[in-house]
Structures are given as structure tokens and as C-alpha cells.
Amino acid sequence: MKKTFKLLLSAAILFSATLTANAQLLKKENFSVPDPMHFGVRGGVNFNTFTHYETYAFPTAGVALDYQLTPTAPIFIGTGLSYVNYVLADGRELDEYQSTLHIPVTLSYHINVAPHLFINPFAGFFGAYYLHTTFDKSLNYGFRIGCGMNFKRLTFDVAYDAGLASHKQWESEGLKSSTVFLTVGFNFVGKR
């Protein structure tokens, strides 16, 4: 829990430090605030593991939406829906695939670093529903932290999800998920 608290505290410090830096950038010519809403598709790869198990890579795909909370600052609330696969594998014949619907909710701050180019650190939470599972529970939840880069309608994101739900399967107890996402996307609505 200490590690999670330190991670969130670091994200909050980074987030607040960018507020003053972005205020200076917005005064320059050719720099702008992004459109107040963005909606598009995302696809990429996730690298996931559970406590004491190996890490595997799987494709992921979904949709994303973010909306500006206030017209005076580029602070956005974001969410989406993704299809994510997990696997429990430790070299035995009992390897199990877990499929989930993943819903994150994050706050992000969009920093304009060049014309039409934004960097947006974000932090928040996620919830996941297991469509197919042999776990004792069908829900997962936890913290999400990451950073994105947006150029016009294109997006590139890196995110880390730390699962807090403790699952039980086979002889293993206390299984918690840990996932890194690398995604590319295109916004049909809204551009930078």
C-alpha cells in the first residue's frame, strides 16, 4: 500500500508542476487549447502478469472518450471500454486465459508543447469485468497511471494498471494483476 501511495503522490506532484509550466506555454503564439471533447478508437498491446506468474503480451482494442472539465484549464476526465486478455501461466499444464472488459476513469492535464502536439499525464482508477474466468471473483479494480501524446487526431499512450482485487485460483491465493498498456489511436471527434 505504501508503494501505491508513493506512486499516487508522485503523480499528483507531477500534475501540479505542469499547471504552471503550461500557463507559460499557452501565452506563446501558435499554441492552443485542445477541443473540449475527444472520442475515438484505440488499439495496441498489453503486457500483463499476476502475482508469482510470468508476463505475457496480448493485443487490446477499444474506444476512448475524454471531456474537458473547465474551459479555463486543459483538465480532462477520460474513460473508455477495452477488451483485454490475461493469462495465468507458470510452466504447468494449467495455463488459464482470462478475458475482461476494462473501464478506466482518469484525470489528465493536456500540455501544449508544439502546434497541434500535446503531452497529457494522467492518473485514476480502472474496473474490469471478467467475461471468462476460473477465479473466485469476476471483478477486478485498481489504480491507473500513465502519459499520452496527441498529434492532431492521432494518440499514443503508455499506461500502468495496478490491480487491487485479490483473486484465488488453484492452490494460489492473493493473485493481483499488473498490466502495462501501449496503445495507438485515432479520434473521430475532436483534435488537438
Side-chain angles (χ1 to χ4, degrees):
M1 197 63 168
K2 279 184 176 182
K3 189 176 183 181
T4 303
F5 177 75
K6 287 179 182 179
L7 186 64
L8 289 176
L9 182 62
S10 299
I13 290 170
L14 174 66
F15 186 76
S16 62
T18 60
L19 289 175
T20 54
N22 197 42
Q24 297 300 320
L25 287 174
L26 288 176
K27 292 179 182 176
K28 295 181 179 181
E29 225 174 281
N30 296 327
F31 285 78
S32 62
V33 176
D35 288 345
M37 187 180 89
H38 307 99
F39 175 77
V41 294
R42 306 289 183 266
V45 64
N46 68 72
F47 301 91
N48 59 64
T49 187
F50 283 88
T51 313
H52 311 299
Y53 286 86
E54 297 174 13
T55 301
Y56 283 87
F58 287 100
T60 185
V63 294
L65 169 74
D66 66 351
Y67 188 79
Q68 189 171 3
L69 291 177
T70 172
T72 59
I75 299 172
F76 287 75
I77 187 165
T79 189
L81 178 66
S82 297
Y83 180 79
V84 178
N85 281 316
Y86 294 94
V87 68
L88 286 173
D90 63 356
R92 302 184 301 179
E93 293 182 13
L94 299 173
D95 295 353
E96 280 288 331
Y97 291 90
Q98 316 289 333
S99 301
T100 68
L101 289 179
H102 216 73
I103 302 172
V105 177
T106 60
L107 281 178
S108 63
Y109 189 79
H110 294 229
I111 305 164
N112 193 195
V113 294
H116 308 290
L117 179 65
F118 288 82
I119 302 293
N120 54 310
F122 56 86
F125 302 93
F126 77 89
Y129 175 74
Y130 290 99
L131 300 171
H132 165 73
T133 186
T134 54
F135 285 150
D136 59 334
K137 300 175 189 171
S138 60
L139 296 177
N140 192 9
Y141 55 88
F143 294 108
R144 171 173 278 204
I145 189 167
C147 191
M149 181 178 73
N150 306 309
F151 180 72
K152 296 186 178 182
R153 293 185 184 271
L154 297 176
T155 68
F156 306 92
D157 292 313
V158 176
Y160 172 73
D161 285 359
L164 298 177
S166 184
H167 299 289
K168 179 181 179 183
Q169 185 184 46
W170 307 321
E171 316 84 50
S172 302
E173 291 189 29
L175 299 173
K176 294 185 179 181
S177 66
S178 180
T179 309
V180 172
F181 293 91
L182 301 173
T183 58
V184 176
F186 181 81
N187 287 326
F188 297 109
V189 176
K191 63 181 177 180
R192 311 302 186 203

